Amino acid sequence: RQRQMCIRDSLSTMCDSLAVGLDKWGVELTKQPLVTHDIALLRPVYKPKGQQKLAAASRSLISLTPSPTQTIVIGVPGARASSKQKELTASTVAGMAHSFSTPHAVVASSEVEAVRMMDDILQQIGAGAIAPSILFFTSNRDSRAAYWLRAQALKRGVVPVLAPPTLKTGLLAGNLRRNIQSKFTSNPASDVALYERCPFLGRKRVLCIGIDTCHTDTVSTGAAVGLLMTPTGNVVIPNFWRNDVRGQELENVTGGFKAVVDEAMTLGHGLDEVIVFQDGNVFSELQSMKSAVPAEVGLSFMCLHKRTNIRFMHDNGQTQANHVRGTIIQSLTPAARNSTSVAPSFFLQAHDSNMSTARGVQYTVHALSPKLPLNQVQDLAFALSHIHSVLPTKLPFPTRCAHRLSSLTERLIDACPDFSPTNLNESVRHRLWFI
């Protein structure tokens, strides 16, 4: 506390000196330039429980099996594994086969043999089983060969989960079962009753799209994940792409966005609103996106900045603390001199921060639908940060999914160059296999 008082005194002295210097030029420095009483607090978000949650989970626009019909367990110790590692892998496979009550449990000597064994097991299961899950146990989950295994499983309509071999198979089995259930979710919005939480949606068919890109020294990938919400059900629509040539990012983002909108138009039999939450500060594709949205559909577009250097503290005169989740701060947001935003940007603190200083996400609004006021967009963004997670997250669900999908597909495409949305099996395409 003494250190904080010393820093505050130093900053106060610097501000006084700055005020004296600016006064010579006729510029007045306000006493408290970063203090505001103009804030808003959004209503908390409650999640359904028990039978309500099960009923909401069944409201999906597509007919997919909510849980896997079969589970395959394959151990891949690797060519350089020691005898102890091989024994541990075999022991883990046997324990998982017992926990999941599956007869399909084998140990492969390499990743290529693991794929061959997977094909043999899938042939035994038959075409009647929809989207089985597969558990790979390998000590090198982050290797290029491991991502090649993931890609091969997804191309065959199998949801892969990779885990390290362990002696605590009982504890790991419970975590893996929960992981599989989350990946098989086709209606992630069942975590929040959105139409009850946001009554302004009415009977509208709303498509929220998150967009993000991932750039490395060798490859650049992007993802657009749409969450289609209708009164009759919800569904997630993921899409990703690879930028093979520099300078094609704009066309690829627009193409990926249009593919999600077209599919949502088909599934929802039309749309009323499209809301884009794009991660980053690039909005050059906004004009081309407008041409991909039908004229009768409203379009809202905003850029999200999650790594800002601005922090806000609640000061009651005696102590300072982080502001609570659901806080909207709009009066202190910076704006560039050449800004093209159509509405004031705002900061949204969607989650609580028990340690350190809370860092809210800045939303810069570049397009706003005439049928969707800004306060309703803020309320919806806050509700979307609670979807498919135990605790609220910093980003809305579609943007968080796009961030994860673009990062994952970069590794998948690097390991398997022919991996693309076109050869992704239909039985897993609308599932959260990338979470």
Side-chain angles (χ1 to χ4, degrees), residues 123-166:
Q123 190 174 4
Q124 296 175 15
I125 294 176
I130 302 176
S133 61
I134 187 166
L135 303 176
F136 290 112
F137 292 96
T138 175
S139 56
N140 299 318
R141 291 182 297 166
D142 203 42
S143 64
R144 195 167 183 263
Y147 280 93
W148 180 80
L149 269 179
R150 292 174 188 253
Q152 298 302 321
L154 290 168
K155 289 164 65 175
R156 289 161 171 79
V158 183
V159 177
V161 178
L162 274 71
T166 179

Side-chain angles (χ1 to χ4, degrees), residues 318-332:
Q318 297 179 350
T319 59
Q320 292 183 341
N322 289 321
H323 47 280
V324 298
R325 62 183 178 184
T327 303
I328 294 285
I329 301 175
Q330 193 160 300
S331 61
L332 298 180

Side-chain angles (χ1 to χ4, degrees), residues 46-318:
Y46 298 101
K47 298 187 177 184
K49 296 181 180 179
Q51 296 298 325
Q52 293 180 347
K53 187 171 183 178
L54 291 176
S58 63
R59 294 172 58 236
S60 176
L61 290 178
I62 50 179
S63 56
L64 290 176
T65 306
S67 59
T69 57
Q70 297 284 347
T71 301
I72 304 171
V73 182
I74 298 181
V76 190
R80 299 183 179 180
S82 62
S83 57
K84 186 176 181 180
Q85 290 175 330
K86 292 180 180 180
E87 292 177 0
L88 179 61
T89 302
S91 174
T92 304
V93 169
M96 288 299 161
H98 176 73
S99 299
F100 284 87
S101 302
T102 176
H104 311 295
V106 293
V107 178
S109 59
S110 65
E111 287 77 9
V112 176
E113 186 181 2
V115 172
R116 183 185 60 79
M117 291 180 173
M118 178 176 59
D119 290 336
D120 295 340
I121 295 174
L122 290 176
Q123 190 174 4
Q124 296 175 15
I125 294 176
I130 302 176
S133 61
I134 187 166
L135 303 176
F136 290 112
F137 292 96
T138 175
S139 56
N140 299 318
R141 291 182 297 166
D142 203 42
S143 64
R144 195 167 183 263
Y147 280 93
W148 180 80
L149 269 179
R150 292 174 188 253
Q152 298 302 321
L154 290 168
K155 289 164 65 175
R156 289 161 171 79
V158 183
V159 177
V161 178
L162 274 71
T166 179
L167 293 175
K168 301 178 180 180
T169 56
L171 178 62
L172 182 59
N175 294 334
L176 292 178
R177 189 173 284 106
R178 191 177 300 109
N179 188 312
I180 293 173
Q181 290 175 352
S182 66
K183 290 180 182 296
F184 271 79
T185 303
S186 59
N187 177 17
S190 62
D191 284 24
V192 176
L194 285 174
Y195 279 83
E196 297 178 8
R197 173 61 178 76
C198 305
F200 53 84
L201 294 177
R203 303 289 296 177
K204 294 180 180 178
R205 297 156 297 181
V206 181
L207 174 64
C208 294
I209 303 180
I211 299 177
D212 196 10
T213 56
C214 179
H215 305 286
T216 65
D217 296 335
T218 57
V219 67
S220 175
T221 56
V225 179
L227 177 61
L228 175 60
M229 301 173 291
T230 71
T232 58
N234 312 310
V235 67
V236 61
I237 308 174
N239 189 25
F240 60 92
W241 57 88
R242 175 177 178 170
N243 301 316
D244 295 312
V245 180
R246 291 291 183 182
Q248 286 186 346
E249 287 86 354
L250 178 61
E251 292 79 3
N252 289 333
V253 170
T254 305
F257 169 80
K258 186 178 185 303
V260 174
V261 172
D262 291 344
E263 186 171 358
M265 290 285 292
T266 302
L267 293 175
H269 304 287
L271 291 173
D272 297 305
E273 296 288 340
V274 175
I275 306 173
V276 181
F277 298 106
Q278 178 159 306
D279 193 352
N281 194 27
V282 179
F283 56 94
S284 56
E285 62 271 13
L286 174 59
Q287 296 302 321
S288 56
M289 283 183 177
K290 291 180 178 179
S291 61
V293 178
E296 68 276 7
V297 179
L299 175 63
S300 301
F301 182 97
M302 53 204 70
C303 292
L304 278 59
H305 314 266
K306 59 181 181 293
R307 294 188 178 94
T308 61
N309 294 321
I310 299 178
R311 306 289 190 276
F312 295 100
M313 301 292 292
H314 173 69
D315 191 351
N316 62 1
Q318 297 179 350

